Amino acid sequence: PPPDVLELCNQVNFALVIVFTVEVILKLTAYGPARFARDGFNLFDGCIVLITLVEEFGDGVYGNASPLRSWRAMRVLRVLFRLTRVAKVLRVVKVLRHVAALRVLLA
């Protein structure tokens, strides 16, 4: 890819690293370590953030071929898991709407 595209990708990546890091810090602060650690997704996020920070701010031994980079791709799985959760909640809301409508009809 052209150098300007690579630079844009690096800037977006850095911004996402900051966003995810702040998210984990806020969750740790809000929930406390014990409650934070009870949720598997929080631990997953924390591990990915730690790996990303080591890769981003480490001494660059591996360069772009870092073995840690593949772990960062796991973020996609996190998003997919969250989307399936949202889809389940939306299904429940839809069912509840139908139940409410049925209740009105039966009243």
Side-chain angles (χ1 to χ4, degrees):
D4 55 335
V5 172
L6 287 175
E7 180 61 28
L8 177 64
C9 288
N10 286 333
Q11 290 173 356
V12 169
N13 183 56
F14 187 74
L16 290 174
V17 168
I18 291 170
V19 168
F20 285 125
T21 303
V22 169
E23 177 192 16
V24 168
I25 290 170
L26 288 174
K27 281 185 172 183
L28 264 168
T29 304
Y31 296 144
R35 187 170 168 211
F36 178 87
R38 279 188 226 137
D39 185 355
F41 280 110
N42 287 340
L43 293 176
F44 179 76
D45 290 344
C47 288
I48 297 299
V49 166
L50 282 175
I51 289 168
T52 302
L53 290 173
V54 166
E55 185 182 47
E56 283 293 317
F57 300 109
D59 56 7
V61 172
Y62 298 110
N64 285 334
S66 170
L68 300 176
R69 189 169 296 273
S70 60
W71 281 98
R72 291 173 54 195
M74 299 295 274
R75 284 190 215 152
V76 174
L77 289 179
R78 175 186 178 260
V79 171
L80 291 175
F81 285 128
R82 298 256 181 198
L83 288 176
T84 57
R85 273 192 197 172
V86 170
K88 287 177 185 176
V89 170
L90 291 176
R91 276 190 236 129
V92 169
V93 168
K94 187 177 179 180
V95 168
L96 290 176
R97 265 192 300 174
H98 291 295
V99 169
L102 182 62
R103 194 169 160 213
V104 169
L105 287 174
L106 294 175

